[in-house]
């Protein structure tokens, strides 16, 4: 195989893994809680997640180069609007530089809380986008890789059921 063909194959595999649904695990885990996340704001200051206990936390892991990530953002924006009166926090975590995230933010008009994730490899995220939802007790109760229509009835019902859980 020539070098260009090998590069093309690697590129195609990367696109497919970014786009496809790899798992749809309504995961419940007493071993994985919000404390495992290492997040900073875009100025580099560490984010204390303790104040989020008592609220549902929706974290979307994404990248500026990931087309499926960008394609699902309008549905997340709408879901955020639908759920604006609920006890839920939406975070958008990327392991890219703050400058890349700020550049992206200036190109799009989403009202998102962008953060940097410092320990993406430890979180075992194998594809983007990936969404974690933590219940009000801070436990991971939903984990899904791949894009989704977050503003459709089934997704809103799923999020509301997590919000109402103890």
């Amino acid at each position: 195989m020539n070098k260009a063909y090998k590069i093309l194959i690697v590129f195609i595999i990367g696109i497919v893994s970014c786009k496809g649904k790899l798992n749809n695990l309504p995961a419940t885990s007493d071993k994985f809680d919000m404390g495992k996340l290492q997040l900073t704001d875009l100025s580099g200051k560490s984010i204390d997640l303790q104040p989020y206990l008592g609220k549902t936390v929706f974290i979307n892991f994404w990248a500026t180069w990931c087309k499926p990530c960008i394609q699902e953002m309008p549905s997340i924006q709408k879901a955020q609007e639908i759920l604006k009166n609920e006890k839920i926090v939406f975070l958008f975590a990327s392991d890219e530089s703050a400058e890349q995230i700020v550049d992206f933010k200036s190109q799009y008009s989403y009202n998102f809380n962008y953060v940097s994730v410092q320990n993406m490899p430890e979180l075992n995220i194998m594809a983007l986008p990936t969404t974690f939802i933590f219940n009000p007790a801070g436990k991971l109760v939903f984990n899904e890789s791949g894009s989704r229509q977050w503003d459709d009835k089934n997704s809103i019902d799923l999020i509301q059921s997590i919000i109402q859980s103890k």
Side-chain angles (χ1 to χ4, degrees):
M1 258 188 245
N2 67 29
K3 187 175 181 178
Y5 187 70
K6 288 179 185 177
I7 291 171
L8 179 62
I9 289 174
V10 169
F11 179 75
I12 290 170
I13 290 170
I15 295 289
V16 170
S17 69
C18 181
K19 192 173 187 177
K21 287 196 185 246
L22 296 182
N23 67 24
N24 183 5
L25 304 173
T28 55
S29 174
D30 290 333
K31 296 179 182 174
F32 194 95
D33 61 31
M34 284 192 305
K36 304 260 189 225
L37 299 171
Q38 295 174 10
L39 304 176
T40 62
D41 64 20
L42 296 183
S43 67
K45 182 181 174 204
S46 183
I47 296 173
D48 179 11
L49 296 172
Q50 283 297 112
Y52 295 144
L53 288 176
K55 296 181 181 179
T56 298
V57 178
F58 177 108
I59 302 179
N60 182 264
F61 296 92
W62 68 286
T64 59
W65 51 262
C66 175
K67 291 205 185 293
C69 300
I70 297 166
Q71 289 171 341
E72 85 172 340
M73 286 183 171
S75 74
I76 298 173
Q77 177 74 43
K78 288 178 187 167
Q80 189 172 267
E81 290 168 12
I82 291 167
L83 298 166
K84 67 183 174 193
N85 295 323
E86 301 288 345
K87 287 186 172 186
I88 185 167
V89 175
F90 287 83
L91 301 174
F92 290 80
S94 176
D95 65 351
E96 295 175 288
S97 72
E99 292 80 22
Q100 288 172 296
I101 298 169
V102 169
D103 285 346
F104 177 88
K105 190 176 170 180
S106 70
Q107 294 175 32
Y108 295 89
S109 60
Y110 298 118
N111 184 25
F112 292 155
N113 186 2
Y114 295 99
V115 298
S116 293
V117 59
Q118 304 302 307
N119 63 332
M120 184 91 86
E122 295 170 35
L123 302 176
N124 202 27
I125 294 172
M126 306 304 262
L128 296 175
T130 290
T131 301
F132 287 179
I133 304 178
F134 294 88
N135 70 10
K139 302 297 180 196
L140 179 66
V141 294
F142 183 84
N143 168 16
E144 180 176 79
S145 294
S147 62
R148 172 190 275 253
Q149 281 301 122
W150 284 104
D151 59 336
D152 73 16
K153 181 177 178 358
N154 290 336
S155 296
I156 295 297
D157 289 348
L158 166 75
I159 296 168
Q160 286 180 322
S161 72
I162 296 170
I163 291 169
Q164 295 166 5
S165 68
K166 301 276 180 192

